[in-house]
Amino acid sequence: MNIFKLFKIALTALTLNVMRSILTMLGIIIGVSAVIIMVSIGAGAQQEVDAQLEAMGGNVLIIFGGWNNRGGGGTAAVATLEDGHANLMLEQVYGVEAATPYVLGKSQLIYGNLNWSADIMGTTNDFFVTKNWDLESGRGFTAAEMNSGEKVVIIGSIIKDELFGASDPIGQSVRVGTFNAMIIGVLKAKGPDTRGDDQDDVAVMPLKTVRTKITGISKSSPNSVSYLEVKGSDTVSMAYVEEEITSLLRQTMKVADDKEDPFRIRDLAETVESRAETQAIFNTLLAAVASVSLVVGGIGIMNIMMVSVTERTREIGLRMAIGAKPDDILNQFLVEAITLCGVGGLIGIGIAFGVTYSMETYFDMVTVINPEIVFISLGFSALIGVFFGYYPALKASRLQPIDALRYE
Amino acid sequence: MGEQTLWALDGIDTIIEPGEFVAVMGPSGSGKSTYMNMIGCLDVVTEGQVYIDGSEVSSFQPDELATIRNEKIGFVFQQFNLLARTTAEENVKLPLLYSQIPESEWSERTLKCLEQVDLGPRADHQPSQLSGGQQQRVAIARALVNDPVMILADEPTGALDTHTTEEIMALFQELNEKGTTIILVTHEPEVAAYAKRQLIFRDGHLVSDELTANRVSLDIDNSSLVSNEQ
């Protein structure tokens, strides 16, 4: 008896009891779809994290200053982070590829009768490296512009769209708060960053320009910056770079040994990765719960197959009397169980595709269904069919023809 | 308790030739069902031999017995044993599923057997749509479909009324006329009277093996068979 014939017999038997077959498959349907959906959400989240890491360009540390050190009771001076620290790090810490200081401000940008409020970032050309940003058009700052604090600006794509629409903004003059600045470049669009802040809604100017014309120079710490960014090379461990920077900064800021750091260093990639890890654990847990329902579904199938064997004892007897071998009976019931699981698995896959599609369409979630998990869950449900169908099928095949025929 | 062995059948030595129509008789517990199970390869003998169509089947394994049942024997049961919610055609086709007969011949054989029992037009009816007599005729068609060397009928009229019993027995006679060997188990002498030869069992022994003295012969033609049913 070939396998094709067996599936035909099994399908016929199952369609004789459609409602029961569907209810039996329910556990498998729910289990398979739940597993695929959970894994897809997890894979989608992982893909987003990878994209964010890619956008960050790898090993980047952010150093925030301005942590008042009040330990020890005395009125300690506020050790501020200064733009000079960036050069020190570049020169003295092995593995630092670029170090960029930032001064942040906010201002109105006015062009013609259009008006847009944007974050203003004062920095050096190194931001292209540490932020991994690119120019869409135009150029970066020249050394002369940096040194004299020229009124030049590189704008993000959102500002360009809001103020200039489709026309070319390069060389145009835009009003920034109280002064006019010339647009020398436009940044490539990047989309939201890891925390959801829009990175395209920003105007970049030379550090000195922002400090003198927008934020103003602080009397106590004229060289202070909002934060520094450091990009490490791929060949060094960021933990090592972090350690070296910490000791360099403590030394430069003359922090006493018993005091805490007056700054904070954050490893961006590490933050993203640890969040991704939490997410992954959560997803694995959900997928594990879902696979429990697959096993429960399998037990449901076994239960129904046992009932079916008892109910159809006379049928089994008849089939044996007209020439079915014990193996034919075993295969028939085994294939029935596998068919139940397989069809249930297929329906579950269909549901999973539907659900993930609507999650993407209506809830803007990123999901990735990889083919492996589809095949694995289908194979697994068929395996459940074999595992839980085997005992009832064996029971059926061990019946004696005469006993089965006489069964009431 | 104790070591006493009860023999369901003891010292039976019978030969049934091709083309015979034999009735196996006896009260309950006489051993007639055991006899039929032995020659039907549904059960195996503890001692002795059973030959079917030249094969010594008493030492066969379950798989070999299944093949013998499929190829050499057609069963007809008291309770018809048709698959519910399955058409007459599919029911008749069932033994072919387990046979070596090529699938291309299945439909032709099935319909031919259904016509032989005058149920050609009812091929797509399910058992619940057929009368008891018609269901038994479907079962007979199923027994014929593999072209067996004999038909084993176990109380085939036990669930039927007198009139339908006559029809079924006439059908058996007709099939026998055409050369089919028929072995019929019954406890009713009226039914046994249709057979050519009668074996009577009592307490595991064969007590009588004679030709039927006053054989009933019903020569109902096919047309009347159909009209009676409708």
Side-chain angles (χ1 to χ4, degrees), chain B residues 2 10 25 30 38 41 48 66 99 120 137-138 152 156 159 164 176-177 205 209-210 218 230:
Chain B
D10 193 7
M25 304 259 310
S30 61
M38 299 293 179
C41 295
S99 73
R137 297 214 309 258
V138 173
L152 275 184
T164 321
N176 180 242
E177 294 301 320
H205 297 279
D209 180 358
E210 291 169 353
L218 282 175
Q230 279 161 349

Side-chain angles (χ1 to χ4, degrees), chain A residues 174-187:
Chain A
V174 67
R175 188 155 188 85
V176 181
T178 56
F179 61 93
N180 285 319
M182 190 176 73
I183 295 170
I184 58 165
V186 179
L187 292 167

Side-chain angles (χ1 to χ4, degrees), chain A residues 14-26 304 340:
Chain A
L14 294 177
T15 46
L16 288 181
N17 241 321
V18 179
M19 194 60 194
R20 180 201 274 185
S21 300
I22 290 174
L23 288 175
T24 309
M25 286 188 289
L26 211 53
I304 288 299
L340 271 178

Side-chain angles (χ1 to χ4, degrees), chain A residues 47-78:
Chain A
Q47 182 178 288
E48 273 195 319
V49 166
D50 290 346
Q52 285 168 3
L53 288 174
E54 174 105 350
M56 272 188 310
N59 312 322
V60 176
L61 297 178
I62 300 183
I63 304 145
F64 297 95
W67 249 262
N68 271 16
N69 200 335
R70 293 195 184 282
T75 51
V78 177

